[in-house]
Amino acid sequence: MLAMTAMNRLLPAALLMAGLGGALLSSSVLAGATLLLAIGGMVVSFRKSLYRAGWDKPKELRLLHFAFWFFVLVSAFSWVLEGFDYEGGKTLGTHARFILFWPLIVVLTRAAIGAWVTFTAITLISVSVLAVFLVTIAARQGALHHVLNSRFGGGINPISFGNLALLGGMLTIVGSLFFYRDGRRLTAIPVFLFGLTAVVISMLSETRSNLVALPFLLLALIPLVGKRARLAGLIAIPILVAAAAITSDRMSSSLEGFLSDGKLDNGMEIRVAVWHEAWDLFTEHPVAGAGLGGFSRHIQSQVTAGELPEAFLECCTGHAHNDLLNTAATSGVIGVLSLALLLFIPLAVFSRHLFSRHAATSHLAAAGVMVCAGYLLFGLTEATFNRSLFLTFYLLLVASIASAMFTELSRSYVRNRTRKVSATIITKNEEDHIADCLRSARLVADEIIVLDSGSTDRTVELARELADVVEVTDWPGFGIQKQRALEKATGEWVLSLDADERITPELAREINHHLADPDADAYKLPWAVTIYGSRLDFGRSGRAPLRLFRREGVRFSDALVHERILIPSGRKVRTLRGRLTHYTHRDFGHSLEKSAKYAWLGSLEKHRKGKKTRTMIYPTLRGLMTFVQVYFIRFGFLDGAVGYLTAVTYAQVTFNKYAGLWTLDRPSRKREP
């Protein structure tokens, strides 16, 4: 059993190292390792072993999965619209590799691959760059000057080699900083030298997009150094980029030619002409594009008609040498959206953790930001996602870094709480929920206070078995009742829960970790709405209500419903990652009853504040806006049929609230002369 467990961990790690380390040696090694890892992930998914182990699937990974799948679906849609063109089919075959993202996440998470293994695998990219360089020199019998005076491509396209070698070298430098901060200084020094060497060798490719990407990749290092070193780093970046540009013969000659006669070199002139063709094709087919093979057909027809020289058949039939324009030309606006999601969703996920106080997490986040920024900038002069090497490299890098980052995040909650916490809960007829709520609160609370407003079931009896203070009061409204509970709290920190909410074990570990040395004055806890047997990760679960705060100076608003916690100005509020499970209702009948109650209370509250709705158009528009926000903007569609039902329910609540407000104003208007 132990041997099998070790194999389950070692084999994925070995394949990851082989895939990344061998990517620039042979694209087949990268593709083969990625496929074998994905097959392993499919086996793990089929056996459900990861879920049985209690994996709390991060919603961020689901969001990344959607970005990869959406890109493939848009490509397939474009291919179908163009009539299953052969050239488009080849492109779709390349894009289809992205469907392996989730199996990769599953197998790497199951193997618990963290920062150490991931950065070791990334270091092998730089090792392979150096190996290719040395082998090339040896093959030319040590004629170093021949290598230095030609565009070095390591046996493949110089642009592909230069871009990926630069990215691999910079990621290796991030790894060296992690090893240094983790106390592995003897490892950090050679890793840094490998990374620096790879960056220098990448510049021998004379790839101009490297010089465009270099300053942004260097900027991603800034959060990883001390505050004193950041200013020096910001000063050093333009100096390093200028030095790289000056030593690049190709860039220097291009700049000299442009400054002397205002003309671009031949390569850039061809690219600009191709970009114009792609833009013209997009304007002709703006919605869905001309199809995956449409750009190739367009170039061929333009050459045949004599509008373009024959040289374009050799360089530019496959793609438009620009990710954005190529996608716009072949897949239209929907394709541009898919490309944006493919780059910016991972960028947003990684950026959120750039300044984490946990070393492994922050360094992996910086690596992820580098990958996204690098591909965004490389895509200015190349259609990177139409090249199988570029695409597979991006797939494996994002999957491995994301999986490792969330594995490390889960490992990072190790400290014990040092602040006293009081949990406050208000109740009425919550017999089905109160016991589980109180047990979950006890994971983080030293004191539990329950204020009941006249329950007729066993709520009070159950609460007295588990809570420290239980009192029965009248019902003045949500805000006032929660303020009463707050005034009874004696802890330095307060956790305000509803009876239908639960603190998950993962969230409890995170809260206790943060309250060992708080980095904020209040924390928002992301909801995980759970209804009809499904946990919703998006839609209404996209909200993170404020629930945990330092008690001093805090109070509740006196709203009848949807009360707010009023935090004194100047205090810092952060959002935690763990999920606050929210059991909103027992069944659909309870949903209708609860929705009607909240809608009417909302109407009364707005009317109390003097709000008015003069026509029924406004309630209708607000209901539609709520549906769009919950279902589309907050990605509620990713929660399936339950996500759709939830979006419709909340839209109905919004409509009823403003329609109720309209009715409240009607009697007073009738009495007007």
Side-chain angles (χ1 to χ4, degrees), residues 276-450:
H276 278 299
E277 295 298 325
W279 177 255
D280 291 341
L281 193 59
F282 169 64
T283 56
E284 293 174 14
H285 309 276
V287 178
L292 295 185
F295 183 76
S296 296
R297 293 193 301 272
H298 176 74
I299 294 296
Q300 290 167 358
S301 65
Q302 290 294 88
V303 171
T304 302
E307 298 293 330
L308 292 175
E310 291 189 4
F312 278 68
L313 293 176
E314 298 179 6
C315 72
C316 310
T317 54
H319 54 79
H321 290 282
N322 179 284
D323 271 327
L324 179 62
L325 290 172
N326 186 75
T327 304
T330 57
S331 300
V333 172
I334 190 173
V336 172
L337 175 61
S338 71
L339 177 66
L341 294 177
L342 185 63
L343 288 168
F344 288 106
I345 284 181
L347 184 62
V349 169
F350 291 125
S351 296
R352 181 184 175 191
H353 301 284
L354 263 178
F355 293 94
S356 171
R357 295 196 291 183
H358 184 238
T361 300
S362 62
H363 286 72
L364 287 165
V369 167
M370 271 191 184
V371 173
C372 300
Y375 269 77
L376 179 65
L377 296 162
F378 298 153
L380 295 176
T381 57
E382 276 299 308
T384 58
F385 294 116
N386 271 38
R387 293 181 180 269
S388 59
L389 175 60
F390 267 112
L391 182 141
T392 312
F393 200 68
Y394 183 79
L395 168 65
L396 188 55
L397 273 175
V398 173
S400 59
I401 294 171
S403 172
M405 187 176 76
F406 285 104
T407 296
E408 292 290 356
L409 272 171
S410 182
R411 292 172 178 170
S412 69
Y413 309 133
V414 295
R415 297 182 298 182
N416 293 320
R417 174 169 46 87
T418 59
R419 271 63 172 177
K420 181 179 179 180
V421 176
S422 297
T424 62
I425 301 148
I426 63 172
T427 61
K428 182 174 182 179
N429 294 333
E430 295 287 358
E431 177 182 356
D432 294 337
H433 289 297
I434 190 60
D436 289 337
C437 175
L438 295 178
R439 290 190 187 99
S440 75
R442 189 61 76 180
L443 297 175
V444 297
D446 304 283
E447 174 187 58
I448 299 178
I449 299 163
V450 176

Side-chain angles (χ1 to χ4, degrees), residues 438-673:
L438 295 178
R439 290 190 187 99
S440 75
R442 189 61 76 180
L443 297 175
V444 297
D446 304 283
E447 174 187 58
I448 299 178
I449 299 163
V450 176
L451 257 63
D452 186 80
S453 53
S455 292
T456 57
D457 59 8
R458 298 178 60 241
T459 299
V460 174
E461 176 186 344
L462 295 172
R464 284 180 172 148
E465 293 176 2
L466 298 167
D468 300 291
V469 177
V470 180
E471 292 188 10
V472 179
T473 71
D474 61 340
W475 175 246
F478 282 92
I480 295 175
Q481 188 76 329
K482 288 194 174 184
Q483 178 62 28
R484 287 174 175 174
L486 176 61
E487 290 170 356
K488 296 182 180 297
T490 62
E492 178 186 355
W493 284 73
V494 172
L495 172 67
S496 177
L497 289 178
D498 291 337
D500 57 3
E501 294 174 339
R502 311 281 186 277
I503 300 291
T504 63
E506 182 80 2
L507 177 58
R509 289 176 53 227
E510 187 178 3
I511 289 174
N512 289 329
H513 177 83
H514 278 278
L515 292 189
D517 182 19
D519 55 354
D521 299 292
Y523 295 97
K524 294 181 178 181
L525 310 183
W527 260 343
V529 175
T530 303
I531 49 176
Y532 312 126
S534 299
R535 189 187 83 173
L536 308 184
D537 286 330
F538 302 97
R540 194 62 174 175
S541 285
R543 293 181 58 198
L546 186 65
R547 285 286 189 266
L548 180 65
F549 51 89
R550 191 157 54 86
R551 179 169 57 91
E552 182 184 4
V554 176
R555 64 183 181 87
F556 283 87
S557 67
D558 60 355
L560 295 175
V561 68
H562 299 311
E563 71 293 338
R564 292 187 302 115
I565 298 174
L566 304 177
I567 302 291
S569 61
R571 292 195 180 179
K572 188 176 182 180
V573 179
R574 295 176 62 92
T575 302
L576 300 185
R577 280 195 59 256
R579 313 303 297 283
L580 180 66
T581 306
H582 187 199
Y583 295 91
T584 57
H585 46 264
R586 296 183 297 273
D587 50 39
F588 191 63
H590 185 218
S591 170
L592 295 176
E593 177 186 339
K594 192 172 180 180
S595 297
K597 173 185 175 182
Y598 274 82
W600 180 239
L601 287 174
S603 302
L604 294 173
E605 179 65 23
K606 288 188 176 296
H607 188 259
R608 183 173 71 89
K609 292 180 177 180
K611 304 292 185 180
K612 295 180 182 296
T613 298
R614 300 189 182 281
T615 72
M616 287 298 292
I617 296 176
Y618 186 73
T620 303
L621 292 177
R622 285 299 298 257
L624 289 173
M625 288 170 58
T626 298
F627 178 82
V628 170
Q629 182 189 42
V630 173
Y631 194 66
F632 292 106
I633 297 177
R634 290 182 175 170
F635 296 95
F637 58 88
L638 293 180
D639 288 321
V642 178
Y644 175 78
L645 178 58
T646 301
V648 171
T649 300
Y650 278 104
Q652 183 68 55
V653 170
T654 301
F655 173 82
N656 289 343
K657 178 169 61 178
Y658 287 98
L661 180 60
W662 180 79
T663 64
L664 287 171
D665 195 41
R666 296 290 289 174
S668 62
R669 292 179 61 188
K670 283 184 177 181
R671 288 193 295 270
E672 293 175 1

